[in-house]
Amino acid sequence: MKQFAMIGAAGYIAPRHMKAIKDTGNTLVAAMDKNDSVGVIDSYFPEADFFVEYERFDRHIDLLKRKGTLIDYVSIASPNYLHDSHIRFALRHGAHAICEKPLVLNPHNIDALKVVQEETGKQVYNILQLRLHPSIIELKEYVAAEVAKNPNKVFDVDLTYLTSRGHWYFTSWKGDDKKSGGIATNIGVHFYDMLGWVFGDLVKNEAHLKQADSSAGYLEFKHAKVRWFLSVNYNYIPESVKAAGQRTYRSITVDGKEIEFSGGFTDLHTVSYQHILNGGGFSLDEARKSIEIVSQIRKQDTVNNKSDVHPFVAKVIR
């Protein structure tokens, strides 16, 4: 049984980490969040110690270590801009880090973390759950087979992801680009990771739309041309989806064929933890490509490229 600590226990994604720790037969020893709405812990680890002050949490982990209770892993589900600091905390306390996406906000953060990783001998793992989704694994195998037959094959891909959020989103840290990285980073980074994993190295990166609630652009990989659109605005969801009472819409088409991957998301954190505990996991280097993509999107100006624009952009710019 491995001993876990957690930073960011009150967030949206924290229960999936708690469930993953429990489902893999391990235990949560201590958790920290500046917000105290963490009653969900009772469903998984009611005996876990809890702290709302980072300094007291730090002292507690240190005292545990001095008494012989070593923390094997620190699960990090804190706001995006704090990931870098909290990963360092884990490594310096002699624990491996399992961090939510995005791992960090900029590529240079990865370079700096590699130094700390080498100094401590501990590893950093990023939750890149789409690489473990059965439909995406099947897609990767299909693409590899097609490329083997035709090494110059380039697929036409449309990525559309809308996950409705209320007014709270823009009041929280997620609505602050300096803290979340913006829409493309906060809700898109694991999709970009998946695209690079399936279709190869990045060739071109254009931003067509950058607004507080929506982002769109064009990515060209070695074996794919990708039009993408991301939004948290309910108004842009297709009417047929709204009529079904749904507030989320995911779609990936490859050469016009829909890739079915709408289900199976809730258990992917458990699968990710099993992957790490079995000697796998996705490293700093594997996270780099997606972080480079979102960093480029964030820093570049939008361009008017009508030939490669995602059709949903017309819903925003009329």
Side-chain angles (χ1 to χ4, degrees), residues 13-21 24 98-101 127-129 132 264-276:
I13 207 67
R16 294 191 190 179
H17 286 268
M18 295 179 197
K19 183 178 186 297
I21 295 168
T24 52
I98 299 177
C99 186
E100 257 305 324
K101 56 83 183 168
I127 297 291
L128 298 172
Q129 67 268 41
L132 301 172
F265 276 83
T266 55
D267 293 327
L268 286 180
H269 278 72
T270 295
V271 176
S272 297
Y273 272 64
Q274 288 170 337
H275 188 229
I276 292 167

Side-chain angles (χ1 to χ4, degrees), residues 57-248:
F57 177 70
D58 180 22
R59 181 180 66 182
H60 181 72
I61 299 300
D62 185 62
L63 288 173
L64 287 176
K65 181 168 58 178
R66 294 178 187 280
K67 292 178 181 179
T69 301
L70 300 179
I71 301 299
D72 299 294
Y73 294 87
V74 176
S75 298
I76 298 163
S78 52
N80 299 350
Y81 72 108
L82 297 176
H83 287 177
D84 179 78
S85 175
H86 293 161
I87 290 169
R88 291 167 180 269
F89 169 91
L91 300 182
R92 288 174 175 157
H93 275 285
H96 303 298
I98 299 177
C99 186
E100 257 305 324
K101 56 83 183 168
L103 182 72
V104 288
L105 294 180
N106 296 291
H108 67 260
N109 298 127
I110 293 178
D111 297 328
L113 285 176
K114 288 185 76 172
V115 174
V116 184
Q117 189 173 249
E118 291 168 4
E119 289 173 347
T120 60
K122 298 301 177 180
Q123 298 297 308
V124 180
Y125 301 102
N126 196 192
I127 297 291
L128 298 172
Q129 67 268 41
L130 286 182
R131 294 194 187 198
L132 301 172
H133 193 294
S135 295
I136 302 303
I137 293 172
E138 184 178 333
L139 172 63
K140 182 175 174 62
E141 293 171 349
Y142 166 74
V143 168
E146 291 298 305
V147 169
K149 290 185 286 187
N150 178 9
N152 296 317
K153 172 70 176 175
V154 177
F155 298 85
D156 289 318
V157 179
D158 277 2
L159 165 66
T160 314
Y161 179 48
L162 297 97
T163 178
S164 304
R165 296 291 184 263
H167 296 303
W168 67 268
Y169 185 93
F170 302 99
T171 302
S172 77
W173 63 267
K174 295 183 179 184
D176 184 340
D177 284 7
K178 292 181 180 179
K179 294 181 177 181
S180 71
I183 290 292
T185 302
N186 196 45
I187 70 171
V189 67
H190 56 314
F191 289 107
Y192 305 133
D193 171 76
M194 176 270 291
L195 291 167
W197 185 59
V198 172
F199 296 107
D201 292 336
L202 184 69
V203 176
K204 188 175 182 179
N205 185 347
E206 287 184 352
H208 296 159
L209 174 71
K210 292 201 289 187
Q211 295 189 359
D213 63 2
S214 306
S215 190
Y218 172 78
L219 293 169
E220 191 170 317
F221 296 91
K222 184 177 181 180
H223 295 292
K225 296 179 178 180
V226 183
R227 303 185 303 180
W228 60 270
F229 180 88
L230 308 170
S231 181
V232 294
N233 191 327
Y234 176 75
N235 292 329
Y236 304 144
I237 288 181
E239 292 301 324
S240 59
V241 178
K242 292 180 183 178
Q246 298 175 8
R247 296 181 58 84
T248 297

